[in-house]
Amino acid sequence: FRRGSIAIGRYRIHTMPAIPPLLLLPLTASALVFPSPPAEGSDITLVTFAEGDPTERQWREVNDPVMGGKSTGTFSVQNGVGVFDGEVVDVPSLSAPGFIKTSTVDKAPFEDISSCSALFLKARAKADYAGYRISFGTKKSFGCSFFTGGFKSHFDIPASADDTFQLVEIPFTNFSNCNSDATGEPSKTCASDPSVCPDAGTLRDIKTITVWAEGAKGTVHLEIDSIGATGCASAAATAAGGAADACTTYNKVVDGTCAESCLGSMVGICPVGLVVAKGGLEKGTCSSLGYTVAAGSTSQKAGPCGTLTFKTYTQPGSVSRLGHGVERKRRASSTSATADEIVLATFDGDAKTTHEWKELNDPVMGGESTGTFSVVNGTGRFQGQVVDVPSLQAPGFIKAQTQDSDAFPDISSCASIVVTARTSTPYDGYRFQFGTKRGLFCSFFSSGFKSHFDAPVSDEIQRIEIPLANFSDCNSDSTGEPSKLCSEDPSVCPDQATLKDVETIAIWAEGAAGTVHLDIKSIGATGCTAVKSAEPGFNGQNTCKGPVQKGLRYNMSGRTDEPALPFPLADGETLATGVCCDSAYAPYAEPKYTFNRTDVNFFATLEQQQLPVTFYDSVCGIPLFKAPQNRTFEEFKADTIEHGWPSFRPAEVVDGNVKILDNGYVISKCGTHLGSNVPDEKGTRYCMDTSCISGNPSARD
């Protein structure tokens, strides 16, 4: 049978056609089996209504007993289907809708669903009703629901005139045990406060299931075929790890590196669904995606959920020494002339630059920071109070962010973000953010490129410039401070694709307690120029502190025809400029065996020099390596030929001039990207691009 799929809000409803009448003739009603759609992972059926079925349950319907409530309902089993009928009306003394509900009342245990990701109902509705909810368990949240217990979520199911069953999937991350006794609406959501998410203990033994009609007046008629859980770990996985310790493997691929981790139903105090959704993880192993070469492991902080450990893998035969060899689309540099400044947002009603903004208060762990955003006399007014999150004893945040889908202009030729604004109150936690790209193993919950900025107190509009080189997509979820700087690690710099389409912009007040009041006149980019023919273009950001030297050693200057690179060099860009200075090429290497080309003659040139030979930075000319040291020239040569790039050992490094970053990239003291640290059985190995170690000594060296 073919099924359809309809997304409604946070739920996914799968339409399931009724079996044609001719197919029903040889079957009894109790033998009807409707086809269940395939799901990621396995399904666990918790409730059915066929007599004698092991998942058949005893149910009891309850009418609203509160303050003279007059809502009424019934629950019965008809032809193997649970039928929930009734009418929800206002409680006279409250002038607000009451509820009816039906709950399992037997004591038979339910199957463990702690390895699953969502609850499902296979049901059909004969009347439009907006107040359906489902709950499980009995756990109460302190200071929340007084009369009710368990984890509850709203769900939608459209009325149908035929016999079509719908499959409604409700992620566990939609459930909360902090809900209003009056309306059933969540007082705290799982997404904003992990402490109200379904816990592993409840998921292992849910004790009871209840279907509600609550908080909305109307006629109720819901026919339920079955209730269960979906997205569950396979039986094999459960058997291997034990029911309580079962885990599911999730992965994330960024710039050609695949990271995977096997996660249980809870990650610290957070349900796995929350971690998967916020972290952008996908179910499955790296090997299933073709990433089979082990590249070590790394840890990732996931806010209040704790720290995750990932194994990392690369693809065989990758151009990159760190496995970042997946081909990217060309990121061509801008060649059209632009004005010096480009306007991104104003608040004066101009259709081209006016955007829809939304203010968000800190939702984490009961955060109490509050703010507002409004347009006042042609300026965007962002104001509020940032206070400590009580459970963390650290400042929270507020932010204002664009919400519409209107495109922003291309700012890839620009040098800085410029904000024109004024403030009457000193505050130290302002930050600007654009884009949605996530840094691997960096910010887990937040995304985009962010930078701090200072807003001086003044009655006049001030011009605040923030260089793009100050932005990073690797920032602390707790404080907003950068964990890695663009100046130290080119992989976290704004990339060309984001600058061509920033998607969204936001102003934050974060990581510092205080009063916020900022009147924003405009937001834009400055230093925007066409690429000059005398200067190289860039696919990404120029991370070098000066131009690549002319007349590089080993005939490495002026190389532009490099078809083996993962994407073409920008107009006017050379191989040396690309791999040494262009952030877009940071994950990649120059083509393997470049040093061995006949027109380079790397070793033939070295053999003519006095040993050891000093290798210099191709931009600033400082000495980087002296080789060979503690080995013969032939051993140095064999090491290089074996791996495909000039390979140096720790004894050959010039102290203080070469640095290994946390991600394995190797840069010089003056910021030139040199290559990567790729250890082997002999230990640390500086795997260098010939292009970047072919400089001539500076005057002072």
Side-chain angles (χ1 to χ4, degrees), residues 98-109:
F99 71 85
I100 58 176
K101 69 175 181 178
T102 182
S103 305
T104 59
V105 292
D106 52 33
K107 301 298 183 183

Side-chain angles (χ1 to χ4, degrees), residues 61-66 68-74 85-92 96-101 129 213-218 220:
E61 193 274 339
V62 175
N63 297 331
D64 182 4
V66 177
K70 295 188 176 183
S71 300
T72 58
T74 62
D85 264 320
E87 189 82 19
V88 177
V89 299
D90 280 355
V91 178
F99 71 85
I100 58 176
K101 69 175 181 178
Y129 180 69
E214 179 183 28
K217 294 190 296 184
V220 175

Side-chain angles (χ1 to χ4, degrees), residues 112 115 167 350 404 435 532 591 674 687:
D112 180 352
S115 70
L167 187 67
D350 188 323
D404 54 48
K532 299 177 182 178
L674 305 175
C687 190

